[in-house]
Amino acid sequence: PAPIVSEKYGLVLVGVSASLLGRNASIQARDVKTGAQQWGLPVGGHNCTSTRWEAAGALSSTGDLFFLWDNFAVRAVRAATGAEAWTSKLTNVGARIPSIGAGVVNGKAALLILATRGQRTCGALVTSGGYLICAVAEDTGSELSCVAAPTSLPPAAALPPVAVSGDLWIHGETSEPPIQHTVVRAVKGSGESVMFL
């Protein structure tokens, strides 16, 4: 991901790749003052051409967890040590693209992720048929709510979802050429489509 600074732990979290296609990729935590590596983790799935490596990480609202996209799932690791806290593989929510949006859902700090319950493969990124927007609890990864996005476009066309207030979620997508356009939609966590822009 783009460098993310953890002021709480004095670390900068960066994505490192040994090739242009994202093979042999890793996340490294480096000391902000010295640049010394504090921990590192290998990550997979970043060799898909439509996967944007720079959009794959975020800190939790407390700053204690770092969320990353790894092997078609969202993983939470302890920002200070890199120890795994949870992975969305355990909740059967497989993130197909690295779009993570923070928010509050039903009073709980949550991540909004683009997801599917299908196979975790590169081809799934560009297969038409829609995707889910799921809210998972920041601290445990437990599923709070999942709704089908009102679209038939492939997940790779989607922009990160954002929680505006409680169960009102904004997301968007960009269609492919030759008639390229961006659509922004609002949906409720209950699944109701409420607005098209």
Side-chain angles (χ1 to χ4, degrees):
I4 296 173
V5 176
S6 168
E7 292 182 24
K8 186 172 189 173
Y9 296 108
L11 297 172
V12 62
L13 302 147
V14 296
V16 179
S17 178
S19 73
L20 292 175
L21 295 178
R23 290 177 174 82
N24 303 317
S26 67
I27 296 287
Q28 295 179 2
R30 297 189 169 269
D31 185 280
V32 167
K33 294 179 182 168
T34 67
Q37 183 174 330
Q38 301 301 305
W39 56 264
L41 296 170
V43 292
H46 290 269
N47 57 334
C48 296
T49 56
S50 57
T51 301
R52 296 183 313 278
W53 177 234
E54 67 274 9
L59 284 170
S60 66
S61 57
T62 63
D64 292 321
L65 296 176
F66 177 63
F67 305 110
L68 58 119
W69 190 79
D70 180 24
N71 200 23
F72 308 96
V74 174
R75 278 174 66 190
V77 299
R78 307 270 172 225
T81 64
E84 185 169 293
W86 58 263
T87 178
S88 64
K89 289 180 192 179
L90 300 176
T91 62
N92 198 31
V93 176
R96 284 195 173 170
I97 65 175
S99 296
I100 303 171
V104 176
V105 176
N106 298 328
K108 286 188 69 87
L111 293 175
L112 291 180
I113 60 174
L114 301 175
T116 180
R117 298 193 194 281
Q119 290 185 317
R120 296 178 174 101
T121 65
C122 288
L125 293 165
V126 293
T127 302
S128 295
Y131 49 88
L132 301 171
I133 301 173
C134 294
V136 295
E138 271 191 7
D139 56 352
T140 64
S142 61
E143 186 179 307
L144 300 173
S145 177
C146 262
V147 298
T151 184
S152 61
L153 290 175
L159 303 171
V162 178
V164 178
S165 65
D167 73 339
L168 182 62
W169 305 342
I170 305 291
H171 74 103
E173 54 202 16
T174 302
S175 63
E176 296 296 318
I179 304 172
Q180 192 167 6
H181 65 280
T182 299
V183 175
V184 177
R185 293 186 172 101
V187 296
K188 291 201 172 230
S190 59
E192 178 186 354
S193 191
V194 296
M195 180 185 346
F196 294 92
L197 304 174

